[in-house]
Amino acid sequence: QVQLVESGGGLVQAGGSLRLSCAASGRTFSSYGMGWFRQAPGKEREFVAAISWSGSSTNYADSVKGRFTISRDNAKNTVYLQMNSLKPEDTAVYYCAGCRRCPATVTRGGYDYWGQGTQVTVSS
């Protein structure tokens, strides 16, 4: 079992930056692939970024490529999402997710564990 807790959300102006963190419980974090998803009001939850359990591969949604960076620190049991050049359309609740020994999975169904989410609001 893995419990995930997101933090780092908030209100930022367009063009600004935020770094989200997702802290995982348990001793096997290094064996989990991790992903970030987001859900805006009235929309479905969508993929944002993912990193494989080994950290050797990453995937990004086209809408965030070049602006967002996913990384992990296994010593701290934490995965990060650095978000730069934020746009109002990035406004959403951001969720982290984990799956055991999986690649940088882009589909919601590929994840076993989910956090509660953190709100990101980008003002224009």
Side-chain angles (χ1 to χ4, degrees):
Q1 286 281 348
V2 174
Q3 291 185 327
L4 306 173
V5 179
E6 302 95 336
S7 62
L11 174 64
V12 64
Q13 289 188 333
S17 298
L18 281 175
R19 188 176 80 157
L20 304 183
S21 300
C22 174
S25 64
R27 297 177 292 176
T28 59
F29 173 76
S30 60
S31 68
Y32 281 80
M34 301 297 296
W36 286 96
F37 290 73
R38 66 187 182 187
Q39 188 166 16
K43 295 187 177 181
E44 291 191 356
R45 194 171 300 187
E46 65 175 5
F47 169 75
V48 175
I51 187 166
S52 63
W53 67 273
S54 66
S56 61
S57 65
T58 57
N59 275 316
Y60 295 92
D62 289 342
S63 58
V64 307
K65 278 181 183 176
R67 300 188 298 123
F68 291 11
T69 303
I70 189 171
S71 61
R72 65 189 301 155
D73 185 339
N74 289 341
K76 295 183 178 180
N77 278 18
T78 301
V79 63
Y80 303 98
L81 185 68
Q82 178 67 45
M83 306 186 295
N84 299 328
S85 301
L86 283 161
K87 304 175 181 180
E89 51 263 44
D90 295 318
T91 295
V93 176
Y94 283 70
Y95 299 89
C96 76
C99 49
R100 195 165 191 278
R101 290 200 176 272
C102 62
T105 304
V106 304
T107 57
R108 287 176 57 182
Y111 290 90
D112 304 307
Y113 305 102
W114 292 84
Q116 293 301 306
T118 185
Q119 176 71 47
V120 171
T121 303
V122 184
S123 63
S124 58

